[in-house]
Amino acid sequence: MEPASRLGSESEATAWLDSVAQAYAAKAGIQLGSAGGATPVAVNATVAVSGPVSDQSHRDFVIQQINVMARYAGIDLRAGDRLADDARAVAKASQAKLDAISEELGDDLVEGVVGKFEARKARKFDSAWNWARQDAVAWIYGVLLGDQPEEDAQRLLALTNRSSLGLLKLVAATASVLQRNSGDAASVRAAAFAQSLYKAIEAKLGAEPIYKELAPSVRPHVDISATGEIKYSEVPREGEPTIVDYVERMRQEVDKKDPFVFLQKHDRISKWSLDHANTSVYFDVLAEVGRSGLSFAGKTAL
């Protein structure tokens, strides 16, 4: 109700304020008391509310004023409530879908497919090239000092898995230094060992790194002392020194009455039975891991 032009006198201002007060009272549902005769209502006149005054009426009056002020300022007081209503509706719909899936497939499946990935747990191995150099030099000089063995299949595999031209040049240079200073048997032995490392690294240059099971084949063993103390250990399996030997033994046991390791299949009448075809494939893969190794290059694992 802003005036169209500047008010020219005090009487015009008073009349305009009176019209605004009357319009607001009508809009807010407030009955103004009579100002007496034709005297205009003063700006600071007391507004009378008809009927008995109560806490509830005061509260309603305050709420009406808040709503009017909010509308004047362009503020939506119900925006938060509407967002909350929308969020509750989405949550209700999502919960209904989850309940339907759980009822159809079971809670175990639903919980089993929930993602476990966390970015903070990701590890990037980008310094293997440098650690390979350190490991090679430490091994060569360990042989020189006589405190490290020359034969270590697992250590050699870990080193050759990180083959590179830089590693090859470093081992060649180390071998050359040892050969020039080979004044004793230890230096001769270390130089020869460095040469053997060079050949092993060169053979794997450019090849994909592999996992190969080189640990000895062991079985559980329990000792009980006279006092009842239980000691658990793992000891080598008799006649099965490698994992490949162990796998072949398990393969032979499948044809017997109670095999140790095997796969089963589920038929239409909910009966489990030994699956010879898949068991054979399983043993083939295990044996290959022990003989040639298994590469995970180019694969993504979650």
Side-chain angles (χ1 to χ4, degrees), residues 45-64:
T46 301
V47 178
V49 181
S50 63
V53 178
S54 66
D55 291 341
Q56 181 63 40
S57 62
H58 280 300
R59 181 177 181 277
D60 294 342
F61 177 66
V62 171
I63 291 175
Q64 289 175 354

Side-chain angles (χ1 to χ4, degrees), residues 43-280:
V43 175
N44 61 349
T46 301
V47 178
V49 181
S50 63
V53 178
S54 66
D55 291 341
Q56 181 63 40
S57 62
H58 280 300
R59 181 177 181 277
D60 294 342
F61 177 66
V62 171
I63 291 175
Q64 289 175 354
Q65 287 191 325
I66 291 174
N67 290 330
V68 171
M69 294 294 184
R71 284 197 298 271
Y72 179 76
I75 300 173
D76 186 358
L77 296 179
R78 284 279 301 158
D81 292 337
R82 278 191 285 272
L83 286 175
D85 291 341
D86 292 342
R88 280 192 289 269
V90 171
K92 185 177 180 180
S94 299
Q95 187 61 50
K97 291 180 180 178
L98 288 175
D99 291 342
I101 294 173
S102 296
E103 184 176 356
E104 178 69 21
L105 303 176
D107 292 334
D108 291 341
L109 178 62
V110 175
E111 294 173 1
V113 298
V114 174
K116 301 291 185 181
F117 176 76
E118 291 185 22
R120 293 180 301 170
K121 294 180 179 179
R123 294 293 179 268
K124 185 177 180 181
F125 300 95
D126 54 1
S127 59
W129 64 272
N130 190 42
W131 284 107
R133 298 182 181 191
Q134 178 173 316
D135 292 344
V137 172
W139 196 0
I140 293 171
Y141 281 96
V143 171
L144 175 66
L145 297 174
D147 58 4
Q148 293 185 21
E150 299 179 37
E151 297 293 333
D152 189 330
Q154 290 182 325
R155 192 172 184 179
L156 181 62
L157 178 63
L159 188 61
T160 56
N161 269 339
R162 297 170 287 172
S163 295
S164 67
L165 284 175
L167 177 61
L168 201 62
K169 292 178 181 179
L170 177 65
V171 173
T174 306
S176 178
V177 170
L178 289 169
Q179 287 172 347
R180 288 197 302 268
N181 300 322
S182 57
D184 53 33
S187 297
V188 173
R189 183 174 65 253
F193 174 68
Q195 286 288 351
S196 67
L197 277 187
Y198 180 91
K199 293 178 180 179
I201 295 168
E202 186 180 35
K204 289 290 294 290
L205 202 62
E208 294 179 346
I210 62 170
Y211 167 75
K212 187 176 181 180
E213 184 53 70
L214 297 172
S217 175
V218 296
R219 62 176 175 82
H221 179 74
V222 176
D223 281 324
I224 303 177
S225 67
T227 59
E229 183 181 2
I230 300 176
K231 291 184 178 181
Y232 172 81
S233 62
E234 293 182 353
V235 299
R237 291 180 179 271
E238 296 81 0
E240 303 167 20
T242 68
I243 294 299
V244 175
D245 296 322
Y246 169 73
V247 171
E248 294 305 322
R249 168 70 188 284
M250 294 302 102
R251 191 195 300 270
Q252 296 171 8
E253 294 293 330
V254 170
D255 295 328
K256 298 182 180 180
K257 182 178 180 181
D258 296 312
F260 298 114
V261 180
F262 58 92
L263 298 180
Q264 289 183 314
K265 61 182 177 181
H266 198 232
D267 59 23
R268 295 182 179 179
I269 58 174
S270 301
K271 181 180 179 181
W272 289 96
S273 59
L274 193 149
D275 187 339
H276 286 275
N278 280 328
T279 299
S280 179

